[in-house]
Amino acid sequence: MRVSTYELYVATLAYHPLSPLVLSRGVDILPHQLAALYGDYEEHHKCPSPIPHKVGGLLRAGFPVNALIADETGLGKTIILGLFILSLLLRGLVRNIAIVVPKAIVGQWQDELLYKFGIYFKTIERGDEFLDLVNDLKHGRELRFIVSIDLIK
């Protein structure tokens, strides 16, 4: 069996742990974002949050993964999630992705994930658009969408 240089490159890129960092565009990664993605190497994580927690690293969590990323405004949830999704997509570990955010930032999330990570997500803005998702599911299509918390309620 002969492996082409291209196939070797793609396999290396898909499984290299830093590939999401290399493939992202215009993203300045902060230390807490790296810790959320890869894990904190310190034995006791010293976070200034009033709620103590240990950062385990999303990419070390095991699979299947259902993740809830919730934090204060402006701490980089979009960046962490974009890197995480990109890593999972490169490895073929995820097929369907639903992102639920406040209504005011649905478009912002769509724009940032497309611009910074090259990942397109459909936005769901009306209840009848969920019917289209059901049809897509029946036909085996991938589902990647962003929906507001208010619409889910």
Side-chain angles (χ1 to χ4, degrees):
M1 180 171 117
R2 185 166 186 226
V3 177
S4 72
T5 305
Y6 173 76
E7 291 171 323
L8 187 59
Y9 176 74
V10 169
T12 302
L13 185 62
Y15 289 97
H16 193 284
L18 299 178
S19 60
L21 303 177
V22 173
L23 294 174
S24 59
R25 293 174 278 205
V27 177
D28 294 325
I29 309 296
L30 300 174
H32 74 276
Q33 293 167 333
L34 282 176
L37 191 63
Y38 296 106
D40 194 350
Y41 289 103
E42 296 178 16
E43 189 171 320
H44 299 289
H45 181 68
K46 295 179 174 95
C47 180
S49 171
I51 302 169
H53 63 281
K54 174 96 172 121
V55 178
L58 290 170
L59 291 176
R60 294 183 184 183
F63 298 98
V65 173
N66 294 318
L68 170 65
I69 300 175
D71 212 338
E72 297 176 28
T73 305
L75 292 181
K77 292 175 292 298
T78 312
I79 302 300
I80 294 167
L81 188 65
L83 292 169
F84 181 56
I85 290 172
L86 186 57
S87 181
L88 294 178
L89 288 172
L90 284 170
R91 294 178 175 108
L93 295 173
V94 68
R95 182 168 166 80
N96 300 319
I97 303 168
I99 299 175
V100 182
V101 297
K103 186 177 183 177
I105 59 172
V106 168
Q108 176 187 342
W109 271 73
Q110 183 187 35
D111 291 345
E112 285 192 36
L113 289 170
L114 181 60
Y115 173 71
K116 293 181 179 179
F117 303 100
I119 307 169
Y120 174 75
F121 280 84
K122 180 180 180 178
T123 58
I124 305 298
E125 297 173 356
R126 296 183 322 272
D128 61 338
E129 291 178 329
F130 275 110
L131 297 176
D132 295 337
L133 294 177
V134 171
N135 287 333
D136 288 345
L137 251 173
K138 286 180 184 176
H139 290 68
R141 295 186 191 111
E142 291 182 354
L143 295 179
R144 292 185 196 153
F145 63 92
I146 303 172
V147 65
S148 73
I149 295 169
D150 298 328
L151 189 60
I152 293 292
K153 289 179 189 176

